């Protein structure tokens, strides 16, 4: 299988030829880390098997896109042929351009010893190509994923240290860089303990599109910023699947009359379609679950919270004023509209470019101007 030409093409698309990440991208067999994957078709996940269509396999594997490898507890490698499933993605092979973006934010030097997250193992392989196996430690909370990645990394000629580990707990060593392609909130104190003096951590904040970079300070904390570019990663988990704490709220919110009914002044917005607004809302009201539905020209969005709060907004057409139903201890739609007011008034939300200050015990404060939030 002539995968090398596809890998070189991918490398040329993602970075310039003089980049230190060009050679790793051009010589790492991504298809070997993703022999099967899930594609979302109409809200359902359909299995795709590389061996069933080698040409498409290479096209997909060497495209700059994320490939979902597990939905719920079902890994694509373990699914029966033509399987269709539903649920939340729980593991993936992150798009190569984003992996390199995260590594660049980490400012990895030739001598850096790094901790990365495992997933499919592809990002670990890129780090091994760049640094050498002995400088790379890769961890995942799932033993099956670590076992799969270990085998595939060995087939690709790599033997980094791999470990089954909850990244929010104690880490298996000390490092110059920690790069997490799973999102956290707040930054675990164990990361600060595992970072060497002057070390850097790079991660995303759970539920947002915000990349956080921070350098360790002499007092054992860290200072940094939220980058101007964004990214979204799956949240950390401890079991095989994510809990859905809003299912009981969903039963009420689908059709019930709200305790308060109003007309929104803004066109209907599905919050995850706007990363800045989604990020700002998640910082101020953590844990909102967003859902959508469309029936002909009528569109509906829901905001659900584990505390029992919910909002449902429905509109016909993109410019019509939505009718909003809200109930529960908080008015979620009102919180959203305050953020949209601020965006209209100031032209920008303060999330990107915000300063970051992390105490040694992991308390994380974001601030910009008069605005601040503690994670």
């Amino acid at each position: 299988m002539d995968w090398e030409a596809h890998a070189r093409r991918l490398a040329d698309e993602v970075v310039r030829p003089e980049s230190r990440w060009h050679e790793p991208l051009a010589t790492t067999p991504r298809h070997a880390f993703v022999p099967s994957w899930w594609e979302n078709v109409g809200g359902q996940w359909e299995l795709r098997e590389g061996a069933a269509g080698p040409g498409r396999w290479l096209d997909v594997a060497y495209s700059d896109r994320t490939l979902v490898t597990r939905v719920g507890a079902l890994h694509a490698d373990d699914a029966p042929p033509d399987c269709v499933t539903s649920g939340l993605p729980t593991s993936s092979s992150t798009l190569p351009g984003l992996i390199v973006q995260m590594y660049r934010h980490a400012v990895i030097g030739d001598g850096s010893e790094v901790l990365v997250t495992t997933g499919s193992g592809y990002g670990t392989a890129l780090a091994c190509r760049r640094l050498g196996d002995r400088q790379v430690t890769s961890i995942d909370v799932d033993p099956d994923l670590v076992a799969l990645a270990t085998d595939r990394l060995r087939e690709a000629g790599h033997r980094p240290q791999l470990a089954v580990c909850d990244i929010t707990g104690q880490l298996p060593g000390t490092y110059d860089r920690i790069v997490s392609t799973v999102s956290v909130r707040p930054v675990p104190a164990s990361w600060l303990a595992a970072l060497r003096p002057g070390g850097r951590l790079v991660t995303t904040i759970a539920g947002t599109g915000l990349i956080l970079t921070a350098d360790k300070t002499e007092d054992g904390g860290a200072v940094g910023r939220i980058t101007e570019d964004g990214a979204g990663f799956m949240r950390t988990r401890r079991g095989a699947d994510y809990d859905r704490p809003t299912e009981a709220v969903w039963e009420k919110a689908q059709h019930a009359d709200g305790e308060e009914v109003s007309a929104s002044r803004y066109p209907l917005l599905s919050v995850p379609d706007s990363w800045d607004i989604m990020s700002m809302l998640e910082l101020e009201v953590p844990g909102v679950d967003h859902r959508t539905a469309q029936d002909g020209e009528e569109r509906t969005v829901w905001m659900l919270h584990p505390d029992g709060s919910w909002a449902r907004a429905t509109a016909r057409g993109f410019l019509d004023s939505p009718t909003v139903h809200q109930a529960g201890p908080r008015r979620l739609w009102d919180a959203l509209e305050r953020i949209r007011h601020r965006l209209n008034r100031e032209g920008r939300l303060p999330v990107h470019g915000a300063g970051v200050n992390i105490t040694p015990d992991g308390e994380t404060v974001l601030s910009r101007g008069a605005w601040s939030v503690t994670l």
Side-chain angles (χ1 to χ4, degrees):
M1 184 179 289
D2 182 20
W3 61 268
E4 289 90 347
H6 292 268
R8 288 193 298 272
R9 173 184 50 77
L10 173 64
D12 290 341
E13 291 176 1
V14 171
V15 297
R16 290 181 57 85
E18 61 269 28
S19 168
R20 293 183 178 183
W21 293 105
H22 189 278
E23 189 271 341
L25 287 163
T27 58
T28 299
R30 190 184 187 210
H31 71 283
F33 292 90
V34 193
S36 303
W37 66 97
W38 298 102
E39 285 192 0
N40 192 298
V41 181
Q44 296 288 308
W45 295 96
E46 295 184 359
L47 180 67
R48 299 289 185 262
E49 297 178 276
R56 184 167 186 270
W57 183 14
L58 291 177
D59 288 341
V60 170
Y62 295 97
S63 61
D64 194 24
R65 56 178 278 198
T66 292
L67 301 178
V68 172
T69 53
R70 199 171 82 166
V71 174
L74 183 57
H75 198 284
D77 289 9
D78 301 324
D82 302 319
C83 182
V84 177
T85 190
S86 61
L88 297 176
T90 51
S91 190
S92 68
S93 177
T94 301
L95 65 152
L98 181 51
I99 295 173
V100 170
Q101 179 182 341
M102 296 291 283
Y103 288 167
R104 282 176 162 169
H105 281 306
V107 193
I108 296 172
D110 291 343
S112 298
E113 294 186 8
V114 303
L115 175 80
V116 301
T117 42
T118 306
S120 71
Y122 175 69
T124 303
L126 292 180
C128 289
R129 291 279 188 203
R130 166 73 175 82
L131 296 170
D133 297 353
R134 287 186 292 181
Q135 292 174 226
V136 178
T137 298
S138 182
I139 64 172
D140 199 290
V141 73
D142 193 293
D144 292 336
L145 292 180
V146 172
L148 273 176
T150 298
D151 291 343
R152 288 168 182 167
L153 284 161
R154 287 178 178 174
E155 290 171 5
H158 298 300
R159 293 179 177 269
Q161 178 182 347
L162 285 107
V164 178
C165 180
D166 178 355
I167 198 168
T168 64
Q170 184 174 355
L171 301 181
T174 59
Y175 312 95
D176 300 303
R177 303 289 186 268
I178 295 174
V179 184
S180 175
T181 52
V182 294
S183 62
V184 297
R185 179 176 181 154
V187 173
S190 60
W191 293 15
L192 299 168
L195 267 183
R196 293 170 183 159
R200 169 169 284 204
L201 63 88
V202 181
T203 189
T204 53
I205 300 171
T208 77
L210 305 178
I211 300 175
L212 181 156
T213 70
D215 300 318
K216 188 169 183 177
T217 51
E218 291 183 359
D219 66 356
V223 296
R225 68 185 184 95
I226 301 298
T227 66
E228 292 290 344
D229 51 343
F233 289 105
M234 299 173 194
R235 298 171 184 260
T236 56
R237 56 182 172 82
R238 289 184 169 84
D241 199 353
Y242 294 106
D243 294 331
R244 296 298 295 268
T246 58
E247 285 306 300
V249 185
W250 172 238
E251 292 299 319
K252 298 178 184 178
Q254 290 184 69
H255 306 294
D257 290 333
E259 298 166 353
E260 182 177 311
V261 182
S262 62
S264 172
R265 64 177 292 184
Y266 296 109
L268 189 64
L269 172 70
S270 174
V271 174
D273 291 339
S274 174
W275 275 22
D276 283 0
I277 292 175
M278 178 187 73
S279 298
M280 192 80 171
L281 179 66
E282 179 66 21
L283 292 177
E284 296 185 357
V285 188
V288 176
D289 179 12
H290 301 279
R291 306 194 189 190
T292 64
Q294 184 156 352
D295 182 7
E297 293 184 359
E298 184 176 87
R299 296 181 301 130
T300 303
V301 301
W302 290 266
M303 299 169 63
L304 315 169
H305 196 276
D307 70 2
S309 303
W310 61 267
R312 183 181 71 248
T314 303
R316 296 180 65 85
F318 285 91
L319 298 179
D320 289 352
S321 177
T323 299
V324 181
H325 293 250
Q326 300 186 81
R330 284 191 271 195
R331 295 295 180 254
L332 300 179
W333 198 264
D334 291 354
L336 171 62
E337 295 227 325
R338 285 193 294 271
I339 292 169
R340 298 181 77 176
H341 291 337
R342 181 169 192 162
L343 180 59
N344 281 351
R345 183 175 66 249
E346 300 177 10
R348 174 172 187 173
L349 295 173
V351 285
H352 290 294
V356 175
N357 194 295
I358 309 172
T359 65
D361 62 2
E363 182 180 85
T364 304
V365 177
L366 277 55
S367 61
R368 186 169 188 174
W371 173 82
S372 69
V373 65
T374 300
L375 302 186

